[in-house]
Amino acid sequence: MAASWHTIPTLTTGGASFTGGQYTFWPSGQNHGAFEWKGKLNDTDSGDGHNVYMQVRVEGYDWSRYNGKQKSSVSFDQLNWDGAAQYTDDAYIRVCRDKGSLNPDNCSATKHYQR
């Protein structure tokens, strides 16, 4: 069974964006029954000296972090899954800017997707 792809609206926060995003939930027995997401992570304020990153979480697990690069864009195509389950039902995704250890990071609103 082929995956059915859905659009992730552009995610933005000060200094970072995630564009061209898509996601799918794989069926049990294919690609670990994973939540797959892809798109481009962009540093939208190249002069601020801060890195950008994506955060993705699937049911029962903490956030996974995917780092971008300062002053550039990085394409991602990633699988996230629950190793104890046959397939993933719930996934959360957001884009963030890393403001260092003295200031809290800023993140976009979290998008929640369900199978």
Side-chain angles (χ1 to χ4, degrees), residues 1-3 25-35 79 86-87 115:
M1 176 181 209
F25 286 96
W26 285 94
S28 178
Q30 292 184 5
N31 287 326
H32 309 280
F35 171 72
L79 298 168
Q86 290 186 2
Y87 58 87
R115 181 177 294 276

Side-chain angles (χ1 to χ4, degrees), residues 15-81:
S17 71
F18 180 69
T19 57
Q22 293 183 297
Y23 75 94
T24 191
F25 286 96
W26 285 94
S28 178
Q30 292 184 5
N31 287 326
H32 309 280
F35 171 72
E36 183 174 3
W37 59 277
K38 57 187 175 181
K40 188 174 282 191
L41 173 60
N42 309 290
D43 181 348
T44 60
D45 187 355
S46 60
D48 68 2
H50 297 298
N51 199 3
V52 295
Y53 61 94
M54 295 297 299
Q55 283 191 315
V56 179
R57 183 170 71 87
V58 296
E59 57 202 305
Y61 288 85
D62 288 333
W63 290 101
S64 295
R65 179 173 167 149
Y66 299 89
N67 288 323
K69 293 184 180 177
Q70 289 183 19
K71 302 179 184 179
S72 65
S73 298
V74 176
S75 293
F76 285 99
D77 186 346
Q78 298 289 323
L79 298 168
N80 293 82
W81 68 88

